[in-house]
Amino acid sequence: MVSYSMSDIYILKEIGAQLKQMRLNRNVSQAKLAEKSGLSRKAISDIERNGRGSMMSMVQMLRALEKLEMLNLFSTEVLVSPIQIAKMYGKQRKKASKSK
């Protein structure tokens, strides 16, 4: 679990450690993950060890590990209040006007 008191570098290292654990839980070697993700084995090692890598690389790793659903945490659902819905319906046209 991360907190605001942690440094950015520490958080990146934690993300790398979590990606490594996901890989190990699937019993996949770095070489096999590299082959499946299109990344180099060194890139995977760098991400796992110290969190150094791009967001693209992280997405490639998650896809190869079949864990893309973890990115759903970044999705925000836009909720419309009942009052906003009522206002929208009040402005909807009920019928077409006569053509001139």
Side-chain angles (χ1 to χ4, degrees), residues 23-68:
R23 177 180 62 78
L24 293 174
N25 289 348
R26 289 196 166 269
N27 196 28
V28 175
S29 68
Q30 285 183 341
K32 186 68 176 171
L33 183 59
E35 180 183 313
K36 196 171 179 182
S37 67
L39 298 169
S40 69
R41 194 209 53 79
K42 182 181 179 332
I44 290 170
S45 176
D46 285 345
I47 291 167
E48 289 181 352
R49 193 173 57 257
N50 54 35
R52 291 194 182 141
S54 68
M55 290 183 73
M56 177 68 84
S57 297
M58 185 178 76
V59 170
Q60 287 173 282
M61 286 179 71
L62 288 171
R63 182 181 302 280
L65 292 167
E66 298 176 0
K67 290 289 191 175
L68 276 178

Side-chain angles (χ1 to χ4, degrees), residues 78-89:
V78 178
L79 299 175
V80 181
S81 74
I83 294 172
Q84 288 173 319
I85 292 171
K87 286 180 182 178
M88 288 183 341
Y89 281 120

